[in-house]
Structure formats: C-alpha cells, structure tokens
C-alpha cells in the first residue's frame, strides 16, 4: 500500500498537482528574492594576492520563506575597493542581477607578508615593478641588430654589447611577452626570462624593452616588462577592413566597440579588439608567473608605440584621438582588474609619437594628425605623456637610416627604450 501511495505522489508531483518540496511554491505568482546571505568566501589575503571569490556561496531567501543557492550568473561581485598593494580591510559588495537593491557585503583583509616585522606595511623585498609595452612593429621589435652601424662599421649587435655587456648577457629585469600571433592561432606558452637582445620579432631584432631594462636596473628597480605587440595593427579599423586586421585582429577596446555598436555597426566579435584582449591575457598570466616565483607584481607604467598603421588612412587618422582616449581609460581599468592593482588606473601612460619621417603614409599630413592627436591625448589625460621621436631618423630624404623605411635602427630603438623608462620613472616621483 505504501508503494502505491508513493507512486501516486510522484505522479502528482510530475503534473504539478502537489508540491513535493518546500522550495517549490504550490500556487500563485513565482516566488521572489527578498534577501541574500553570504558564506564560504575567502576573507584573508596576503599582500600581493589577486582577489578571488573562491568558495563564495550566495543563499537567496524568497518571499515565501524558502531558500536556495544562487548560481554565479545570478549575482555580481564588486571588488573595486580591493587593493593588493596595501594592507588593510576592504568591503566587497554582492548584488543580485535581477534586483540590485538586494545586496550584501563582506570584509576582506590584506595582511603583511611574513616575515614583515612590526612595521607599518608589508615587506618590500619581493615587490616587483611591472611595465607594459604594447603597439605595433616599433613596439614589437623590428630593429635589426645584424645591420651595420654606419658610424662604427660594426653591427648594432656589437655596438650594443660594447656599450653595455648586459645587452648581450641579460639584465636582472624579467621579461614576459609574445609578438605577432596570428588570429587563428592560440597564444603560445610564455615563460619568464631576463631581458637581453633578441626579444623582438626574432633573435636578431630588438624592441624598446632593452633600453628600458638598462634604465630600470641602473635606477635600482626590481622590475619586469610585459609585452604584447604585432606589426601593422590598427586601433581604428574596428570593422577589420584591412588585411592585417583580418590576420591579427585590432586594438579596439571595449568602449570603442560599444561606440561602434551604438552606431548600428556590428564588428567581428573575434577580430575586433583581439589584440587588446590578448594584451590583457599577457598581463594576467605574467602577474601569475611572477607570483609563482615569490614576487608581488605592482604595475607602474604603460608604454604605447602605435599609430603608424592608422596614419595610412585619413578616416582612421581623424578618429585616432577619440579612440586613443577611450583605449587608455579602458586599458588602465582592465589591467587594474586582471593584475589586482587598483593603482594601475592612474599610473604613467607613455606614448611614443610615431616618426614624422617613417614611410607609413602617402599623405604626410595624416602622420602629422596622428602625432598631434597623441599630444592632445596626453594633455587631456592625467599622468599621460608623449615621447618625441623626430630626432631618431628613419628616412633622411631618400636615404634610409632605419632598419628599413618603417622601423628605427637598433641604436635609436635602444635610445627610445631608455626615454620610455626615464619618463615613466620621472612621472612616479
């Protein structure tokens, strides 16, 4: 008899005739959330730890008195106040997506890294300053060290090794980067290494990282350089009309993409902004790699060397200022998030002005528009600066002094890297 009763109850439950669980309403309107409670979350962090919601459970109380656990997509976690670079307590806010007025908070604590003594802050012995390089080929590293220097008659490899042996042997500055990854390929596995010659497009090329490492180490900095760049890539070709954009993706940041969509355009979801997203990935993975070997990464500056490609199209040159403003704001915010460094939102952003004598455009006025736009962006934004390159001659009339008609020679690239680091350090003072 009991088996028959159980069977009948089960059938009635299937057809909604009987409520067989206290969590399911029997009649009327669907139950609505009235409050949430939090449990299981991590509240104790070590200086330098990236924020995580691991273990967090959000219990929802409904207006019929029943409770259930919310799925991750049903709530948001605002950890904007969290600062991994400062000890103290931080409030984390959790809100339901369906009704943001239903919320709860909890407090996390960032404590000193043992052994930290009795000082006011954590030990600084394992803090490492991080500088981020991004852009196209003059950021990627296309300056040829096998080229013969007309001043000395020796290769630039020999010239740079003679100038400072660390250029060949390596600096005590860490490097984590990738360049020129085609859009249909996965990102390669990246490992930390020391900065030295050969971190450009191949072992015979350099980018600004070499000169930067020289200045950073000589200023006594424990530092790391992250880089993601690719030749010929655009900021303003959001709809990927150019072959390079279809091969590599573009630098369009989230605000740029949102503006396009508001205008009724539909950028390719994979290609548009792919360079930007991959840069954020490199930053995230680079910080994780540094933490694994005991460092506390703190983002101290951005280096942006790009705009040559956009100067080749009058429409893009006219958009460049507006888009670069959005790009800088987005990148600072996203790096702050993926690196767990709120300070990244205001740290120095150094723009290398594109060369006025590179063969980037058939229209010299378009190059001038990009250079002027870069200066206006620097003037309009806090802690943003430009570095001029007019004295680093790529083409003197019909005479090419660069590695080719588009790229600085290795001596000038080394100089440019020094200028980038010096400005970033000056801006921190």
């Amino acid at each position: 008899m009991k088996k028959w009763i159980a069977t009948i109850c089960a059938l009635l439950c299937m057809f909604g005739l009987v409520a067989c669980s206290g969590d399911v309403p029997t009649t009327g309107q669907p139950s609505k959330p009235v409050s949430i409670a939090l449990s299981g979350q991590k509240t104790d962090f070590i200086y330098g730890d990236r924020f995580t919601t691991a273990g967090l459970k959000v219990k929802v109380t409904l207006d019929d008195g029943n409770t259930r656990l919310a799925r991750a997509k049903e709530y948001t976690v605002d950890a904007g106040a969290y600062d991994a670079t400062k000890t103290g307590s931080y409030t984390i806010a959790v809100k339901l997506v369906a009704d943001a007025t239903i919320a709860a908070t909890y407090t996390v604590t960032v404590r000193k890294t043992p052994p930290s003594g009795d000082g006011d802050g954590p030990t600084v012995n394992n803090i490492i300053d991080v500088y981020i390089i991004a852009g196209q080929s003059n950021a990627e590293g296309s300056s040829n060290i096998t080229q013969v220097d007309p001043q000395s008659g020796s290769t630039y490899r020999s010239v740079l090794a003679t100038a400072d042996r660390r250029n060949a042997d390596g600096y005590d500055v860490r490097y984590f980067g990738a360049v020129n990854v085609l859009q249909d390929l996965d990102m390669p596995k990246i490992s930390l290494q020391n900065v030295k010659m050969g971190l450009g497009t191949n072992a015979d090329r350099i980018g600004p990282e070499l000169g930067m490492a020289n200045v950073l180490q000589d200023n006594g900095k424990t530092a790391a350089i992250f880089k993601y760049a690719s030749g010929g890539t655009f900021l303003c070709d959001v709809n990927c009309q150019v072959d390079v954009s279809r091969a590599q993706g573009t630098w369009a940041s989230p605000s740029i993409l949102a503006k396009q969509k508001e205008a009724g355009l539909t950028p390719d979801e994979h290609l548009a902004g792919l360079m930007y997203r991959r840069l954020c990935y490199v930053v995230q993975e680079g910080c994780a790699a540094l933490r694994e070997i005991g460092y506390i990464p703190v983002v101290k500056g951005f280096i942006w060397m790009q705009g040559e490609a956009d100067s080749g199209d009058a429409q893009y040159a006219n958009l460049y200022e507006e888009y670069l403003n959005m790009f800088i704001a987005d990148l600072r915010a996203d790096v702050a998030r993926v690196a767990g460094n709120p300070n990244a939102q205001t740290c120095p952003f150094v723009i290398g002005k594109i060369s006025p004598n590179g063969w980037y455009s058939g229209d010299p006025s378009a190059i001038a528009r990009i250079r002027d736009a870069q200066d206006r962006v620097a003037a309009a934004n806090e802690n943003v600066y430009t570095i001029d390159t007019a004295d680093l001659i790529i083409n003197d009339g019909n005479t090419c002094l660069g590695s080719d008609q588009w790229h600085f020679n290795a001596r000038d690239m080394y100089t440019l890297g020094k200028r980038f680091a010096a400005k970033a350090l000056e801006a921190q003072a």
Side-chain angles (χ1 to χ4, degrees):
M1 185 65 180
K2 290 182 179 180
K3 290 183 179 180
W4 279 104
I5 293 173
T7 301
I8 292 170
C9 184
L11 290 170
L12 290 173
C13 285
M14 290 175 61
F15 289 99
L17 300 177
V18 178
C20 294
S21 169
D23 290 336
V24 180
T26 57
T27 59
Q29 297 297 318
S31 299
K32 296 181 179 179
V34 293
S35 66
I36 58 174
L38 312 176
S39 64
Q41 66 270 25
K42 176 180 172 68
T43 58
D44 188 26
F45 292 81
I46 300 295
Y47 184 82
D49 280 351
R50 184 181 174 193
F51 177 77
T52 177
T53 59
L56 174 64
K57 295 180 180 179
V58 180
K59 185 178 181 181
V60 181
T61 297
L62 305 172
D63 58 5
D64 62 4
N66 291 309
T67 61
R68 65 177 178 82
L69 289 179
R71 292 171 291 178
K73 66 180 182 180
E74 293 183 279
Y75 60 87
T76 62
V77 179
D78 181 359
Y82 180 81
D83 189 345
T85 68
K86 296 179 182 178
T87 56
S89 297
Y90 302 96
T91 299
I92 310 300
V94 180
K95 299 179 181 179
L96 287 186
V97 172
D99 185 349
T101 64
I102 301 175
T105 63
Y106 65 98
T107 300
V108 301
T109 301
V110 176
R111 60 184 176 84
K112 300 175 184 178
T113 303
S116 58
D118 298 322
D120 294 331
T123 177
V124 297
N125 293 336
N126 55 345
I127 294 175
I128 188 166
D129 295 345
V130 172
Y131 296 85
I132 299 164
I133 300 173
Q136 53 184 107
S137 54
N138 277 313
E140 177 186 37
S142 297
S143 298
N144 187 358
I145 56 177
T146 68
Q147 182 183 17
V148 174
D149 170 27
Q151 297 180 30
S152 66
S154 300
T155 65
Y156 284 115
R157 185 193 301 274
S158 176
V159 169
L160 293 175
T162 300
D164 194 315
R165 193 62 209 170
R166 294 173 298 180
N167 289 325
D169 296 341
Y171 287 90
D172 290 332
V173 174
R174 297 287 186 149
Y175 174 82
F176 189 89
V179 299
N180 197 29
V181 182
L182 296 178
Q183 62 88 10
D184 57 349
L185 298 178
D186 292 333
M187 286 290 286
K189 181 175 176 56
I190 310 172
S191 299
L192 287 166
Q193 56 184 302
N194 286 36
V195 175
K196 61 180 180 180
M197 287 187 281
L199 296 178
T201 56
N202 60 49
D204 292 329
R205 302 290 190 272
I206 65 168
E209 66 283 337
L210 194 67
M212 288 180 64
N214 179 275
V215 170
L216 293 171
Q217 185 169 332
D218 284 354
N219 276 269
K221 302 297 182 181
T222 301
I225 295 172
F226 298 166
K227 182 170 76 173
Y228 186 67
S230 191
T233 46
F234 288 76
L235 177 66
C236 300
D237 181 24
V238 182
N239 290 313
C240 303
Q241 301 299 305
V242 183
D243 286 345
V244 171
S245 300
R246 289 191 287 269
Q248 306 274 9
T250 73
W251 287 102
S253 67
S255 293
I256 297 172
L257 297 179
K259 181 178 177 64
Q260 291 287 106
K261 292 176 181 178
E262 287 173 5
L265 302 174
T266 54
D268 184 291
E269 292 187 359
H270 174 62
L271 293 174
L274 180 62
M275 296 290 296
Y276 178 92
R277 296 190 297 275
R278 283 179 163 176
L279 172 61
C280 291
Y281 169 83
V282 167
V283 173
Q284 180 173 309
E285 294 299 302
C287 286
L290 289 172
R291 291 186 182 105
E292 284 181 5
I293 59 174
Y295 284 113
I296 299 169
V298 178
V299 176
K300 288 297 185 74
F302 299 85
I303 309 300
W304 177 244
M305 187 70 230
Q306 194 275 340
E308 297 96 334
D310 294 281
S311 73
D313 185 289
Q315 177 187 4
Y316 299 155
N318 290 332
L319 287 170
Y320 196 79
E321 179 180 352
E322 178 185 8
Y323 283 12
L324 185 55
N325 277 315
M326 290 189 281
F327 174 87
I328 291 172
D330 285 347
L331 186 61
R332 281 173 155 174
D334 281 331
V335 165
R337 174 178 56 82
V338 301
N341 287 174
N343 64 288
Q345 296 186 74
T346 56
C347 71
F349 197 108
V350 184
I351 302 168
K353 294 176 67 174
I354 67 171
S355 171
N357 49 69
W359 289 6
Y360 312 126
S361 172
D363 179 8
S365 66
I367 293 178
R369 282 199 295 276
I370 295 289
R371 286 171 55 84
D372 291 344
Q374 291 171 326
D375 280 332
R376 288 193 297 271
V377 168
N381 290 276
E382 181 182 358
N383 221 9
V384 177
Y385 310 90
T386 54
I387 297 293
D388 205 355
T389 58
D391 62 323
L392 307 177
I393 309 297
I394 296 177
N395 298 290
D396 185 6
N398 291 323
T399 302
C400 178
L401 302 178
S403 290
D404 50 44
Q405 287 84 2
W406 304 276
H407 304 113
F408 302 106
N409 66 48
R411 184 201 301 273
D412 288 348
M413 177 56 73
Y414 186 54
T415 298
L416 180 57
K418 288 184 175 184
R419 291 178 183 178
F420 282 144
K423 174 55 72 173
L425 290 173
E426 175 192 335
Q428 295 170 33

